[in-house]
């Protein structure tokens, strides 16, 4: 018997196999919709077109997020820059290529880039060294 966690991974993998990223979708709502439609967590039990309609109905790529650039490896973290974009920019590591000039820092400096939802929860992050 599949669990909601297994369904979550299967849904994320299906989304990631295309041109999108699972962080652009409301996985909780998709899992709930899968359960409602099939009475279980097996994505194969749902007709293909119905599954992808459910995914599209829970597209959050236009939802606003905040991207923060933070000076890493310091005693006190310093926020260098804050920008607003949408979830379509996720995953950050695949969609941002920041130079030292972009970050306003010396080449070789390490920074953490974080994306946060409207409620402040970090939904993606990665570290980069400025070129």
């Amino acid at each position: 018997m599949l669990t909601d966690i297994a369904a979550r991974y299967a849904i994320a993998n299906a989304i990631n196999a295309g041109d999108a990223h699972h962080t652009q979708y409301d996985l909780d709502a998709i899992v709930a919709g899968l359960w409602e439609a099939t009475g279980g967590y097996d994505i194969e039990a749902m007709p293909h077109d119905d599954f992808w309609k459910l995914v599209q109905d829970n597209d959050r790529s236009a939802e606003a997020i905040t991207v923060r650039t933070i000076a890493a490896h310091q005693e006190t973290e310093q926020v260098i820059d804050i920008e607003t974009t949408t979830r379509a920019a996720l995953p950050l590591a695949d969609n941002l290529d920041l130079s030292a000039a972009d970050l306003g820092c010396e080449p070789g400096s390490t920074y953490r880039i974080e994306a946060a939802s409207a409620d402040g929860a970090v939904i993606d992050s990665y570290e980069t060294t400025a070129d």
Side-chain angles (χ1 to χ4, degrees):
M1 176 165 182
L2 294 175
T3 65
D4 62 329
I5 295 171
R8 206 171 179 52
Y9 281 113
I11 293 164
N13 288 336
I15 293 169
N16 292 345
D19 292 334
H21 193 261
H22 70 273
T23 55
Q24 297 173 359
Y25 295 84
D26 185 344
L27 294 183
D28 292 334
I30 297 169
V31 169
L34 175 65
W35 177 264
E36 185 177 308
T38 67
Y41 294 116
D42 182 2
I43 66 170
E44 299 295 326
M46 189 172 206
H48 179 270
D49 291 344
D50 293 347
F51 172 75
W52 287 108
K53 181 176 181 339
L54 176 64
V55 170
Q56 284 308 115
D57 288 348
N58 290 284
D59 182 350
R60 295 174 15 183
S61 61
E63 183 179 295
I65 60 170
T66 303
V67 177
R68 300 182 291 244
T69 303
I70 302 165
H73 305 297
Q74 297 181 6
E75 284 184 31
T76 305
E77 292 185 337
Q78 178 184 0
V79 176
I80 304 301
D81 186 41
I82 298 176
E83 295 180 26
T84 302
T85 187
T86 65
R87 282 183 179 258
L90 300 175
L92 295 174
D94 292 347
N95 293 310
L96 294 180
D97 186 20
L98 302 172
S99 67
D102 293 333
L103 295 170
C105 67
E106 296 295 319
S109 299
T110 302
Y111 287 83
R112 186 172 71 248
I113 313 298
E114 292 182 344
S117 59
D119 64 2
V122 174
I123 53 177
D124 190 22
S125 70
Y126 78 102
E127 283 196 9
T128 187
T129 301
D131 297 332

